[in-house]
Amino acid sequence: MMRKTSVILLSAATGAALTLLVTQPRAVFFGSSARAATADTYRQLNLFGDVFERVRSDYVEKPDDSKLVESAISGMLSGLDPHSSYMDAKSFRDMQVQTRGEFGGLGIEVTMEDGLIKVVSPIDDTPASKAGILANDIITMLDDEQVQGLTLNQAVEKMRGPVNTKIKLKIIRKGVDNAIEVTLVRDNIRVRSVRAHVEADDIGYIRITTFNEQTTEGLKKEIANLQNQIGDKLKGFVIDLRNNPGGLLEEAVTVSDAFLERGEIVSTRGRNAEETQRRSAHPGDLTKGKPVIVLINGGSASASEIVAGALQDHKRATLVGTRSFGKGSVQTIIPLGSGNDVEVLQDVPEELKSRTDTRGEASLRGHLKSDGDEKTGSQSYVPPDAKDDKALKVADDLLHGIKSSSTTPPPAGTDKASADKSTGSKAAN
């Protein structure tokens, strides 16, 4: 399968795209025709500047400059294809949570009903399930704040948060006269993207709902469990990818590899020949050659189509269902702009405060001077006990998606369709 590549531009600061234009020139032009094209481009940019200033000065209400710039960038990228887009810091954090499948929260899958939050189901072995929260419970208050009036995403955001922090919920339960109040302590929640059961006594049914960082490990675990449960009478596997909107390219490759011994799984190509990449299977079919059926439908997109297509092309599986969505592109996340550093000051014991700052290179006599503003001196204290190490805690939070910085490694080959679809009418927190 050959895939085209589009792009998601990511910013941790307003106006970051302007930094890209200044710091990352993409080409050197030669000849009169190239100079003419450049001149025309700058005329168009001048036009944009004129429109921007006119809106700022004459629009009926004073606009937010940063929102104007972000809207202009979003419009430019949305004109490229249906999937290229601009992501601000919050959008990036939300995408990180979804692709990692791991976050600080309560472990409840919820939906919005009549302006209130309804529990679809608690996730096993999480604070919510341990506290006895049940499917169909209605959450009316979060930390003494009314839920009514909040969007689903706003409510989910309030329920998520750093591990070991508390939140109080007020719940209405059918058949119980009085509201139930419960205080939960947030924990590290892993979203199960793979579920399985035994079908008709001798078939292993595996449902993959999305492709996040937990998917391949979840698949391996479920295949092993099914093999142990069914034993020698195992006839084969059904892999259900219906309404799976996609996710991480790497997970699609490794999931496909779990059923293949050899052969190309997927190819991607960009504008330049050197951007072409081919991913192939490695020896080791986890199902030991058992027959495989893949279920797809019109909601199966991107990563789902890579898996279905690879297994079909190598005659490893039979596809059953209806035509898939037809998405043929992979998004690459490109960080832009500032916000590249996260400063963390440690809590230094009083008796050590005079001895824990390093003077730095710029304080040395005769040092080689650099361009720009030179700074010297920085805290050098590292707490001996890891639980007191604030920098280590921030690093943990960044990698768990609880906090965000533009330097946090973005997931490679992310499919934005997964982010778009999973935040619609139902969400986990």
Side-chain angles (χ1 to χ4, degrees):
M1 179 186 290
M2 185 66 75
R3 315 264 296 170
K4 295 181 180 178
T5 299
S6 57
V7 65
I8 293 177
L9 294 182
L10 163 70
S11 170
T14 301
L18 302 180
T19 305
L20 174 69
L21 296 174
V22 173
T23 61
Q24 298 185 25
R26 301 304 297 265
V28 178
F29 296 99
F30 300 96
S32 58
S33 60
R35 283 194 295 270
T38 304
D40 186 60
T41 299
Y42 281 112
R43 277 195 295 271
Q44 295 293 325
L45 289 174
N46 286 336
L47 174 61
F48 170 77
D50 291 342
V51 173
F52 179 75
E53 289 301 329
R54 183 59 61 90
V55 171
R56 291 183 70 204
S57 61
D58 295 346
Y59 187 64
V60 62
E61 295 175 350
K62 182 175 174 57
D64 183 322
D65 289 357
S66 63
K67 294 293 184 185
L68 289 177
V69 173
E70 287 189 16
S71 296
I73 296 169
S74 296
M76 174 177 63
L77 294 172
S78 64
L80 298 176
D81 63 69
H83 306 292
S84 293
S85 65
Y86 173 81
M87 299 176 70
D88 59 19
K90 182 182 181 304
S91 299
F92 179 54
R93 286 196 300 270
D94 292 343
M95 186 213 62
Q96 283 183 305
V97 168
Q98 291 165 21
T99 57
R100 287 189 179 130
E102 187 174 3
F103 52 85
L106 307 178
I108 322 173
E109 190 175 357
V110 295
T111 188
M112 181 72 79
E113 189 172 282
D114 298 327
L116 296 174
I117 300 300
K118 181 178 180 180
V119 177
V120 176
S121 64
I123 300 171
D124 292 342
D125 198 30
T126 64
S129 65
K130 292 175 182 176
I133 291 177
L134 303 176
N136 298 317
D137 281 351
I138 301 294
I139 300 173
T140 61
M141 298 188 74
L142 299 170
D143 276 342
D144 301 320
E145 181 180 350
Q146 291 282 350
V147 168
Q148 199 150 24
L150 298 178
T151 66
L152 178 62
N153 285 345
Q154 288 171 335
V156 167
E157 202 167 290
K158 287 182 177 295
M159 285 186 273
R160 287 178 181 167
V163 173
N164 295 325
T165 58
K166 294 181 179 180
I167 183 171
K168 184 169 67 176
L169 277 62
K170 181 176 281 189
I171 294 170
I172 295 176
R173 182 174 295 165
K174 188 175 181 179
V176 178
D177 293 335
N178 299 321
I180 301 169
E181 289 193 0
V182 58
T183 298
L184 302 179
V185 179
R186 295 179 179 93
D187 200 356
N188 195 41
I189 307 300
R190 288 193 172 196
V191 178
R192 285 183 62 187
S193 61
V194 183
R195 298 178 185 273
H197 65 259
V198 177
E199 185 77 24
D201 294 328
D202 55 4
I203 294 172
Y205 171 89
I206 300 174
R207 166 77 173 140
I208 302 177
T209 57
T210 188
F211 288 86
N212 62 33
E213 291 182 9
Q214 317 296 327
T215 300
T216 302
E217 288 306 311
L219 175 68
K220 292 177 179 178
K221 178 180 176 182
E222 296 297 353
I223 289 175
N225 287 342
L226 290 168
Q227 288 170 333
N228 289 334
Q229 289 180 56
I230 301 173
D232 294 338
K233 63 179 181 179
L234 176 63
K235 296 292 185 185
F237 293 87
V238 173
I239 312 299
D240 193 343
L241 299 179
R242 290 174 295 185
N243 297 321
N244 181 326
L248 298 177
L249 172 64
E250 181 62 30
E251 292 297 315
V253 171
T254 51
V255 165
S256 302
D257 199 356
F259 300 96
L260 296 171
E261 291 285 356
R262 66 185 66 83
E264 184 176 292
I265 295 172
V266 65
S267 298
T268 60
R269 60 180 173 84
R271 178 190 296 184
N272 303 314
E274 62 269 19
E275 294 173 333
T276 298
Q277 295 183 351
R278 290 181 170 82
R279 303 296 302 275
S280 298
H282 302 87
D285 178 358
L286 298 184
T287 64
K288 300 180 175 64
K290 292 288 185 181
V292 176
I293 305 292
V294 176
L295 304 182
I296 60 171
N297 63 8
S300 306
S302 197
S304 299
E305 294 173 298
I306 290 174
V307 174
L311 298 187
Q312 181 189 51
D313 288 350
H314 292 291
K315 297 180 172 54
R316 183 63 188 89
T318 300
L319 304 191
V320 175
T322 60
R323 184 186 298 112
S324 63
F325 184 78
K327 185 173 184 288
S329 62
V330 175
Q331 282 67 57
T332 300
I333 297 175
I334 304 175
L336 303 175
S338 57
N340 292 332
D341 301 300
V342 180
E343 183 178 29
V344 178
L345 295 178
Q346 303 283 4
D347 294 327
V348 182
E350 200 65 39
E351 66 273 14
L352 298 177
K353 283 187 176 179
S354 62
R355 294 183 281 142
T356 57
D357 283 355
T358 301
R359 294 175 64 196
E361 172 73 14
S363 67
L364 302 179
R365 182 180 299 172
H367 75 277
L368 298 176
K369 295 186 179 295
S370 61
D371 295 334
D373 181 28
E374 289 190 321
K375 296 181 180 180
T376 185
S378 178
Q379 190 185 74
S380 59
Y381 175 74
V382 177
D385 193 331
K387 70 179 177 60
D388 299 323
D389 191 339
K390 293 172 69 175
L392 180 59
K393 176 64 169 61
V394 170
D396 289 347
D397 287 348
L398 286 170
L399 292 175
H400 284 120
I402 297 171
K403 295 182 179 179
S404 180
S405 163
S406 64
T407 54
T408 308
T414 301
D415 167 26
K416 185 174 177 288
S418 63
D420 292 340
K421 282 208 158 190
S422 61
T423 57
S425 60
K426 189 164 65 174
N429 63 80

